[in-house]
């Protein structure tokens, strides 16, 4: 049988290393199956999955100039051999409850701003915001804190 890329061939495992397994295929040629191409699931120890003398089916991935073959056992498996159930357990995301943020209806709803903005115009609210912001920035630059926290909830040190 001729060895061409993408063909499925039968072989026998002749050696196992920590990075892969050596397989002798029909016709006496030898190839290597890298550890990542042994199984669709994670393989930590190849000797737990394969043993010397075991018959395997491999797909030829590439043929080097010197005749060495790169083989894959997992790509030779039929689609029906794939693990069922979709996603792996470790890929599932934990379910979290959705808690909506409190609704802010107007700029005066923030704790750092006084509630006396009920009937104020936009310009008044903006000038009050700018003044408060400038005060906070000057306090931060001086290293002092006059009761403001970075979150603006008024729970800072005095």
């Amino acid at each position: 049988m001729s060895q061409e890329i993408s063909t499925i061939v039968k072989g026998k495992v002749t050696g196992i290393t920590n990075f892969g397994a050596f397989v002798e295929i029909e016709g006496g040629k030898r190839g290597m199956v890298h550890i990542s191409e042994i199984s669709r699931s994670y393989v930590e120890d190849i000797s737990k999955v394969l043993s010397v003398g075991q018959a395997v089916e491999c797909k030829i991935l590439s043929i080097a100039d010197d005749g060495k073959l790169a083989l894959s056992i997992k790509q030779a498996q039929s689609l029906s051999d794939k693990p069922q159930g979709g996603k792996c357990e470790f890929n599932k995301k934990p379910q979290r409850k959705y808690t909506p943020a409190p609704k802010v209806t107007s700029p005066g709803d923030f704790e750092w701003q006084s509630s006396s903005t009920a009937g104020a115009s936009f310009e008044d609210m903006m000038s009050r915001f700018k003044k408060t912001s400038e005060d906070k920035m000057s306090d931060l630059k001086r290293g002092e804190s006059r009761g403001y926290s970075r979150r603006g909830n008024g729970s800072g040190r005095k």
Side-chain angles (χ1 to χ4, degrees):
M1 180 179 194
S2 68
Q3 285 83 27
E4 295 178 14
I5 295 175
S6 298
T7 58
I8 307 294
V9 293
K10 292 183 180 186
K12 185 186 271 189
V13 177
T14 58
I16 295 176
T17 65
N18 60 352
F19 56 84
F22 292 98
V23 177
E24 186 174 323
I25 63 169
E26 302 163 337
K29 290 205 171 200
R30 287 186 62 175
M32 192 195 77
V33 180
H34 188 265
I35 189 169
S36 64
E37 292 294 329
I38 290 176
S39 175
R40 285 184 170 76
S41 59
Y42 176 73
V43 176
E44 186 173 341
D45 185 8
I46 298 171
S47 60
K48 291 182 180 177
V49 180
L50 296 175
S51 59
V52 175
Q54 181 179 349
V56 292
E57 280 191 345
C58 301
K59 179 178 180 180
I60 299 176
L61 300 178
S62 66
I63 303 171
D65 293 335
D66 58 358
K68 293 181 182 177
L69 304 171
L71 306 171
S72 173
I73 295 173
K74 75 176 180 182
Q75 291 185 31
Q77 295 172 344
S78 66
L79 295 176
S80 63
D81 291 344
K82 280 189 177 179
Q84 299 297 319
K87 295 182 180 178
C88 297
E89 287 295 319
F90 58 86
N91 285 338
K92 288 185 179 178
K93 293 182 181 177
Q95 297 294 325
R96 296 185 182 162
K97 286 188 172 184
Y98 172 73
T99 54
K103 190 162 188 149
V104 177
T105 56
S106 69
D109 286 347
F110 293 108
E111 290 181 30
W112 51 265
Q113 199 170 16
S114 67
S115 60
S116 64
T117 60
S121 68
F122 177 76
E123 288 80 17
D124 293 336
M125 288 190 294
M126 189 58 132
S127 65
R128 189 173 297 129
F129 169 78
K130 286 173 65 178
K131 181 174 180 349
T132 306
S133 179
E134 288 169 358
D135 290 345
K136 287 181 184 181
M137 289 303 294
S138 65
D139 287 348
L140 288 172
K141 287 180 183 176
R142 283 185 294 195
E144 298 174 11
S145 178
R146 293 190 315 182
Y148 301 114
S149 72
R150 287 189 173 201
R151 292 190 179 162
N153 60 9
S155 62
R157 293 178 291 180
K158 287 192 175 191

